[in-house]
Amino acid sequence: MTLWKKVIFYTLSAITLFLTACNNKPLVEEKEVPSQAELVSQFFSHFNEWSSNTVDKLDSLGIQIATKDSILEYHSFTNNYQKSTFIFSSKERSTLKVFEESNFLKKETPVKYDSYLTWRKNLDQRKILDCSIEPHPTLKWLFTIRLRGQE
């Protein structure tokens, strides 16, 4: 009698485990999280279609980019260091490589002077985008993006 109880118990347990394993699908589909390089690419793409909403989008993307690396910090368009400039700062120069190696800047040859790198991109007939990697006395290293009018 006890042998039959054990057989029934193990059989029902096996069936229960099998059925729960089959139904173990997540209830919420996980979205693919973009990499830091993909976020940088999205960040630069917004400069081509500049509008009043662009600053908010860029600030949001800047925060996302900075959260991908614990050393990288983002300073919004209205920062206290350089007004009307998007700034990423880091204690290590190597952290800024993600910007330097982006497809957006790779196509351009930077102007080099000592430890400074500067890219100047013509977005259209009226806008110029200045991007630079430069040292800073308190923030250590900066990657700055400034939108300028035609000079």
Side-chain angles (χ1 to χ4, degrees), residues 49-113:
E49 64 230 17
W50 189 268
S51 70
S52 59
N53 299 337
T54 305
V55 172
D56 293 334
K57 290 177 188 176
L58 289 169
D59 279 341
S60 174
L61 281 169
I63 292 167
Q64 290 177 42
I65 292 167
T67 58
K68 295 285 184 179
D69 192 327
S70 62
I71 300 174
L72 193 62
E73 291 182 33
Y74 176 70
H75 307 276
S76 69
F77 193 66
T78 57
N79 66 75
N80 292 328
Y81 298 103
Q82 296 176 24
K83 298 284 185 204
S84 302
T85 303
F86 299 98
I87 299 175
F88 292 89
S89 65
S90 177
K91 292 180 178 164
E92 295 179 17
R93 165 77 168 79
S94 61
T95 307
L96 303 176
K97 283 272 189 206
V98 70
F99 300 104
E100 191 176 344
E101 294 173 351
S102 70
N103 288 333
F104 187 77
L105 294 180
K106 240 183 194 179
K107 296 173 185 173
E108 304 291 323
T109 304
V111 175
K112 295 179 183 181
Y113 180 75

Side-chain angles (χ1 to χ4, degrees), residues 3-16:
L3 180 63
W4 280 107
K5 287 181 184 178
K6 286 183 182 179
V7 169
I8 293 172
F9 174 76
Y10 286 119
T11 305
L12 290 175
S13 296
I15 292 171
T16 305

Side-chain angles (χ1 to χ4, degrees), residues 136-150:
H136 189 273
T138 57
L139 297 175
K140 302 296 182 200
W141 287 98
L142 301 180
F143 178 73
T144 61
I145 305 111
R146 295 173 198 85
L147 187 67
R148 302 183 187 270
Q150 187 70 27

Side-chain angles (χ1 to χ4, degrees), residues 26 28-35 68:
V28 177
E29 287 186 32
E30 293 182 26
K31 293 183 179 178
E32 189 174 314
V33 179
S35 69
K68 295 285 184 179

